[in-house]
């Protein structure tokens, strides 16, 4: 019965119900019109020292028409592709191919990443952007534990990023700890924050969970903003020590000992630190990847996925849902904390500005776009989300518009993420043996 | 051999004003199939939910002679009950749909594997002891897949198996927890007659080979009558009869409960049985 209901209206003649599509597009255009009239229809202009309203009906018309045509186009594309991809939960041949050969793609990508600074491409700007990409890759992989594996929708992940960043900044400021000493502390503190968030939301799922975690993210940011004595409020913390290469600083001269360039007898270049930071985050990200791939095949990882599928069945099998969820929150948060520490040492300055909701949303978008649970997908999505706005720089204010359009496009073409194909954690038969499952 | 496995005393479960189970007492024996039957809404599933810790009984004592000696189930946390040796299936199948059949069976051995992996720490570094434990778990899963005839489909997503096989997989998953008491909530629902016959055979086989007790909720009377050692009949939460299949088959109170107010004393045996088979509908 349910299949009839989902397939029904679109199943006619393989596709396109024009009247229906026109009606829907008209409705969307009407809503857009109502929104555009106040938003784009008027402009305040200064006129002879007074404010006056300028009417811009053409903008309203253009916007409304764009929505109408766009809506129609999306419906048309959907109809042409058949209704069923989402309904059947199908992954698509490409996603399958990527996931099945994930090991090779992963190795190739890692190799490319290691060589990047030495390729002709590896100028300062590219390495810098690549570093940002890798931060988001690492955050995406960390959040993937909570959202992709355990199925707990977390909209406040940036809180743990902030805890990690401030942990390092404050421990450096007060106790003079270096990056490497502070890193585990930051991870542990972020994990504790994860558990603290976990307790009150143990019974929540889906939308409710998302709202509470969103609130938690904001609470942390507001605390950072207002706890002047400790966090220096909106002014932030500056002068955070930069990382050292086994004690060697990246400076021209150092009052306390040798610098990196002196030690290796090479000419000082400010590029050294940029490249070092790049390798640092690359290694941190690869450790995260190793950890997630590994833990997915351990009992706790399987229990996370089982919990995502059916919590009641888990209980009936003797799995403690409380502990399982809290471990997911804690470990996910821990990697957020690591990434936060790195962020602090890279910037040398942090303030609550860097930890707003939009960051959480971006990280979540990376996980969802990538295909929940897919490591390669997340890396790909991070690349898209960081690099796309960079590429769009020439378009100036249209940049975010293009970005939004690309997001909509991905969600239309791949509603379950770029690479939504789940590779089993264990197989009984080799690939191609045993009975072939229907796809 | 004939020791009591589960003793239910004065079990009562109220939901607001509704008394779903009313002062129910019975004993399920070890290595016996005990069936609980009754019309729709009689409170059968509620009994299961009390036994497996999903509901806390309003009144009653539930003594289970489990793996570590007797326990009072009503005092245990739900997720701890399986450790004592109770496994269950659900009336509406609850598999991990997007995990493979094999993974479903491995997840069922979670607590054991968790300990073997040193609570993840040792497992992360590929400790030998854990790898051996995982191999053993997969071996057990393979054994049950084989017995259910699902071996070739081990790597299928559980959700893409046909309905009958999903039912079987859920039983296999319960068995992978190595229970002393297996609670099955309408395992034959939705199966065709051939599948039902196979299932009946399987349950008897599990009872005899694994030497465990089975608690069976079922509407298919032919199956219940064929394989049960003991039958308990519920109606409106109350136990209205208890006995062997022969005793239940001829019990006028039971027949009345199943057929409502209709006078059926004069019905010939076959008709009565057929009506009883339609069971829940009445
Ligand atoms: N959580 C609950 N809250 C309120 N009422 C409930 C709850 N669970 C069960 N009930 C009620 O208890 C009564 C017994 O339900 P139960 O599910 O145990 O019946 P059943 O014998 O399993 O029936 P069926 O053969 O249809 O599965 C029903 O009237 C039901 O509505
Ligand atoms: Mg029921």
């Amino acid at each position: 019965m349910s299949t009839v209901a989902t397939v029904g209206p679109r199943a006619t003649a393989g596709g396109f119900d024009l009247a229906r599509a026109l009606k829907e597009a008209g409705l969307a255009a009407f809503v857009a019109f109502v929104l555009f009239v106040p938003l784009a229809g008027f402009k305040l202009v200064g006129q002879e020292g007074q404010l006056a309203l300028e009417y811009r009906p053409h903008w309203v018309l253009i916007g409304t028409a764009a929505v109408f045509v766009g809506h129609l186009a999306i419906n048309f594309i959907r109809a042409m592709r058949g209704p069923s991809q989402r309904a059947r939960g199908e992954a698509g041949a490409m996603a399958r191919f990527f996931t099945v050969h994930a090991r090779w793609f992963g190795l190739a990508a890692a190799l490319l990443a290691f060589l990047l600074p030495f390729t002709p491409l590896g100028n300062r700007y590219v390495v810098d952007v690549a570093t940002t990409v890798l931060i988001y890759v690492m955050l995406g992989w960390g959040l993937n534990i909570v959202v992709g594996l355990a199925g707990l929708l977390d909209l406040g992940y940036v809180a743990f990023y902030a805890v990690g960043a401030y942990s390092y900044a404050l421990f450096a400021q007060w106790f003079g700890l270096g990056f490497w000493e502070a890193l585990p502390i930051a991870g542990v503190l972020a994990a504790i924050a994860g558990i603290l968030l976990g307790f009150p939301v143990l019974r929540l799922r889906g939308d409710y969970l998302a709202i509470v975690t969103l609130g938690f993210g904001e609470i942390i940011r507001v605390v950072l903003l207002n706890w002047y004595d400790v966090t220096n409020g909106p002014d932030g913390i500056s002068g955070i020590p930069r990382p050292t290469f086994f004690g060697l600083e990246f400076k021209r001269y150092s009052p306390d000992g040798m610098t990196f360039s002196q030690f290796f007898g090479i000419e000082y270049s400010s590029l050294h630190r940029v490249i070092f930071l790049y390798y640092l985050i690359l290694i941190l990200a690869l450790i995260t990847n190793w950890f997630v791939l590994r833990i997915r095949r351990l009992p706790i990882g399987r229990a996370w996925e089982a919990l995502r599928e059916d919590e009641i069945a888990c209980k009936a099998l003797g799995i403690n849902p409380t502990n399982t969820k809290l471990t997911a929150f804690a470990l996910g948060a821990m990697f957020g904390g690591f990434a936060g520490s790195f962020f602090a040492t890279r910037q040398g300055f942090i303030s609550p500005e860097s930890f707003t909701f939009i960051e959480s949303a971006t990280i979540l978008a990376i996980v969802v776009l990538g295909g929940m649970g897919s490591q390669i997908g997340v890396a790909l999505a991070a690349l898209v989300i960081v690099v796309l706005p960079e590429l769009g720089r020439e378009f100036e204010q249209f940049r975010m518009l293009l970005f939004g359009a690309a997001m909509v496009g991905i969600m239309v073409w791949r509603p379950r993420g770029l690479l939504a194909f789940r590779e089993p954690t264990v197989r009984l038969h080799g690939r191609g043996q045993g009975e072939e499952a229907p796809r | 051999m004939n020791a009591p496995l589960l003793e239910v005393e004065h079990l009562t479960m109220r939901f607001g004003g509704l008394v779903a189970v009313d002062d129910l007492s019975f004993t399920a024996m070890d290595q016996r199939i005990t069936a609980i039957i009754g019309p729709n809404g009689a409170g059968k599933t509620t009994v299961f939910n009390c036994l497996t810790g999903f509901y806390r009984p309003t009144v009653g004592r539930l003594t289970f002679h489990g793996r570590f000696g007797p326990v009072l189930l009503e005092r245990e946390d739900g997720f701890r009950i399986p450790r004592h040796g109770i496994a269950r299936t659900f009336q509406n199948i609850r598999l991990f749909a997007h995990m493979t059949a094999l993974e479903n069976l491995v997840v069922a051995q979670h607590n054991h594997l968790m300990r073997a992996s040193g609570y993840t720490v040792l497992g992360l570094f590929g400790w030998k002891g854990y790898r051996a434990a995982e191999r053993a778990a997969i071996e057990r899963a393979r054994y049950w897949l084989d017995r259910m005839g699902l071996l070739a489909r081990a790597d299928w997503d559980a959700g893409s198996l046909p309905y009958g096989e999903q039912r079987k997989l859920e039983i296999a998953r319960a068995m992978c927890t190595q229970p002393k008491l297996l609670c099955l909530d309408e395992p034959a629902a939705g199966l065709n007659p051939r599948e039902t016959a196979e299932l009946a055979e399987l349950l008897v086989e599990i009872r005899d080979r694994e030497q465990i007790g089975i608690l069976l909720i079922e509407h298919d009377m032919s199956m219940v009558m064929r394989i049960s050692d003991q039958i308990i009949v519920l109606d409106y939460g109350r136990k209205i009869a208890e006995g062997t299949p022969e005793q239940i088959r001829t019990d006028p109170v039971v027949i009345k409960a199943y057929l409502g107010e209709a006078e059926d004393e004069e019905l010939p045996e076959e008709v009565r049985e057929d009506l009883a088979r339609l069971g829940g509908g009445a």
Side-chain angles (χ1 to χ4, degrees), chain A residues 290-291 294-300 302-303 305-310 312-321 324 416 422-430 434-439, chain B residues 54 78-79 82-83 86 88 90 94-100 102-103 106-108 110-111 113-114 117 120 123-126 130 134 138 142 145 151-156 160 173 177:
Chain A
W290 173 84
F291 184 89
R294 193 95 202 191
I295 206 162
R296 203 182 145 234
R297 290 160 191 275
L298 288 177
I300 185 73
R302 294 201 187 105
E305 292 201 72
L307 208 60
R308 175 192 70 201
E309 298 290 309
D310 195 324
I312 288 178
C314 279
K315 269 199 210 166
L317 296 172
I319 295 173
N320 182 340
T324 310
R416 302 188 45 209
R422 182 181 176 278
E423 178 71 7
T425 60
V426 54
R427 286 176 162 277
L428 204 54
H429 311 291
E435 227 173 296
E436 191 61 27
R439 296 276 175 207
Chain B
F54 284 96
F79 70 87
R83 292 172 207 192
I86 295 187
R88 74 171 286 185
F90 295 86
R94 285 185 172 274
L95 288 168
F96 306 124
H98 292 102
M99 302 174 82
T100 65
L102 176 65
E103 283 174 316
V106 174
V107 168
H110 174 79
N111 286 321
L113 285 174
M114 201 65 185
S117 74
T120 307
L124 266 182
F125 299 99
Y130 169 67
E134 192 184 37
I138 292 172
R142 179 204 288 277
L145 286 168
L151 200 52
R153 295 181 171 181
D155 297 328
W156 283 34
S160 57
R173 188 177 67 179
T177 66

Side-chain angles (χ1 to χ4, degrees), chain A residues 140-164:
Chain A
W141 281 340
L143 184 60
N144 207 2
I145 296 177
V146 184
V147 178
L149 293 183
L152 302 162
L153 191 53
D154 185 349
L155 275 180
Y157 193 61
V158 75
F160 311 122
Y161 190 43
V163 168

Side-chain angles (χ1 to χ4, degrees), chain B residues 44-46 91 185-186 217:
Chain B
K44 306 178 295 294
T45 301
T46 305
Q91 188 167 348
D185 198 344
E186 302 195 20
I217 296 178

